[in-house]
Amino acid sequence: MKDLIVLGIESSCDETSVAVVKNGREVLSNVIDTQIKIHEQYGGVVPEIASRNHIEAISRVAKKALEEANTKFEDLDVIAPSYGPGLVGALLVGVSYARGVSFALNKPLVGVNHLEGHIAANYITHKDLKPPFLCMLTSGGNTQIVLVKDYCDLEVLGKTRDDAIGEAFDKMARVVGLGYPGGPKVDKLAQEGKATINFPKTHFDNLDFSFSGIKTAVINLHHKQPDINKADLCMSFEKAVTEVLIENIQKAIEQTGIKTIVLAGGVSANTHIRNEFTKLEEKGIKVYKPDLKLCTDNAAMIGAAGYYRYINGNLSDNVLNAVPNLKIGE
Ligand code: KG4
């Protein structure tokens, strides 16, 4: 079969990224232009500023991605932007750019769900990985257990009822003075600490999650005892949220009988979470983790998901729009 070259485009939040991906699994280039330094001073992403910076970056990032892949526009087979979920103004930059390229080259346009992209990051890291599997999707905006029945047949089995896990990391980090984005900073500091504090966890009968109680307990404790050891606080927080993830994924394994677990999303870069999930292998469960550089937002994962959508016949028309609250399976 002829090689299929996909141009992946990602602009859902504060990373402008363009990638060239071959046959859904091989990354020829993956250029990521992050705005972290710009938003750091505000303690979080400012949507309007994010959109403006995407506009400024998109053509330059795309040009670099093509150069690094030694590919010309004419060599592309499919144009695949993420069109949701995310910040509407930010998404619109990638979607509009993709529509323009697709129209000018007369090449198919394939809109990709950003969350499906996170899952597809694993197809790049693990060449042997095939559905069916259960995905523990943990990112800044989402926390879900997804049953991946096939490449383009996904069902959400459980999700957070309040904060996403990454949001809880970022909020507690800001309050204890670690800055933005909090996740990587909590991760680093926790490695020097011990889980000395037991935080309350919320359990549900189904596979849903709640993280706001743990986050609030951490913040309240820090307010009451400002001198508390921050490394211990971070480790105790990580232990509590990880136990919630593990408990629910074990329930999902029991319910579905599927013993292959895939981690995805920005928070799957977390050292403690990765280590604790790896321990499940002692129970005969196969655990796949994405390469660290593919955990957070990037266009290679969008290109990989775009490949599978294209071969499944999920083409978009040239009026594709951004869908800020797009759900998995829509
Ligand atoms: O997946 P992502 O890049 O963006 C969304 O699609 O939401 O995830 C970003 C989130 C942020 O909340 C960030 O703090 C968190 O991932 N994160 C981490 C780590 N690296 C990134 N959280 C915990 N430990 C990390 N090492």
Side-chain angles (χ1 to χ4, degrees):
M1 214 171 84
K2 182 192 166 294
D3 287 335
L4 203 99
I5 307 292
V6 180
L7 188 74
I9 300 172
E10 162 58 32
S11 69
S12 65
C13 190
D14 58 345
E15 264 89 32
T16 319
S17 180
V18 179
V20 180
V21 179
K22 187 165 134 186
N23 300 331
R25 301 253 176 178
E26 195 185 329
V27 179
L28 303 185
S29 68
N30 186 21
V31 179
I32 306 169
D33 194 283
T34 182
Q35 302 176 15
I36 284 181
K37 280 269 163 288
I38 298 167
H39 298 284
E40 216 168 25
Q41 55 189 308
Y42 305 103
V45 178
V46 183
E48 180 60 23
I49 296 176
S51 312
R52 285 167 191 269
N53 280 282
H54 283 305
I55 293 172
E56 183 276 321
I58 190 86
S59 303
R60 167 171 45 83
V61 172
K63 186 164 177 270
K64 199 160 170 229
L66 288 170
E67 274 167 15
E68 283 187 16
N70 204 8
T71 302
K72 298 193 210 54
F73 272 116
E74 302 76 58
D75 302 331
L76 300 170
D77 297 302
V78 178
I79 315 299
S82 60
Y83 71 108
L87 304 170
V88 67
L91 286 163
L92 271 171
V93 178
V95 168
S96 308
Y97 183 82
R99 280 172 52 173
V101 173
S102 156
F103 185 72
L105 298 175
N106 197 20
K107 300 278 163 118
L109 182 71
V110 172
V112 171
N113 182 315
H114 173 81
L115 302 174
E116 293 185 22
H118 274 302
I119 299 171
N122 285 279
Y123 299 138
I124 297 169
T125 307
H126 308 285
K127 308 294 181 219
D128 62 319
L129 177 65
K130 289 190 182 82
F133 55 79
L134 287 168
C135 179
M136 184 71 255
L137 180 62
T138 54
S139 74
N142 288 273
T143 306
Q144 305 182 342
I145 293 182
V146 184
L147 171 59
V148 181
K149 294 177 242 182
D150 205 344
Y151 290 103
C152 298
D153 187 6
L154 296 86
E155 183 189 344
V156 177
L157 301 184
K159 59 182 187 309
T160 182
R161 294 194 183 179
D162 40 57
D163 288 359
I165 186 169
E167 202 180 334
F169 265 98
D170 293 339
K171 283 183 184 162
M172 74 77 90
R174 190 162 57 208
V175 172
V176 306
L178 294 178
Y180 167 86
K185 296 185 168 115
V186 173
D187 187 350
K188 193 153 175 257
L189 192 55
Q191 291 173 44
E192 297 164 23
K194 289 197 183 64
T196 50
I197 311 148
N198 267 324
F199 288 115
K201 288 171 286 192
T202 313
H203 307 273
F204 299 107
D205 289 339
N206 60 11
L207 296 174
D208 282 352
F209 300 91
S210 166
F211 297 103
S212 74
I214 302 173
K215 173 203 69 186
T216 306
V218 174
I219 294 171
N220 286 345
L221 185 64
H222 179 258
H223 282 152
K224 268 193 233 140
Q225 299 178 37
D227 299 333
I228 197 162
N229 182 307
K230 279 190 196 172
D232 289 351
L233 197 65
C234 289
M235 190 61 226
S236 305
F237 166 79
E238 282 192 355
K239 178 174 175 279
V241 295
T242 308
E243 280 172 4
V244 172
L245 297 180
I246 299 265
E247 185 182 305
N248 270 12
I249 205 75
Q250 283 182 314
K251 279 206 273 180
I253 292 167
E254 273 169 37
Q255 276 181 26
T256 60
I258 294 176
K259 291 188 167 184
T260 304
I261 305 297
V262 169
L263 302 188
V267 183
S268 64
N270 183 267
T271 312
H272 183 69
I273 294 176
R274 290 171 87 93
N275 289 345
E276 291 305 302
F277 269 83
T278 304
K279 286 184 191 163
L280 290 175
E281 298 209 323
E282 292 160 18
K283 297 183 179 172
I285 295 158
K286 181 84 184 124
V287 181
Y288 290 92
K289 290 160 283 194
D291 195 354
L292 279 180
K293 60 179 187 305
L294 294 176
C295 288
T296 42
D297 292 351
N298 67 88
M301 67 184 199
I302 303 299
Y307 169 84
Y308 287 104
R309 289 194 79 76
Y310 176 74
I311 58 173
N312 197 50
N314 299 111
L315 301 192
S316 308
D317 52 31
N318 209 271
V319 292
L320 179 72
N321 204 352
V323 182
N325 55 2
L326 184 68
K327 307 272 185 303
I328 278 183
E330 282 180 355

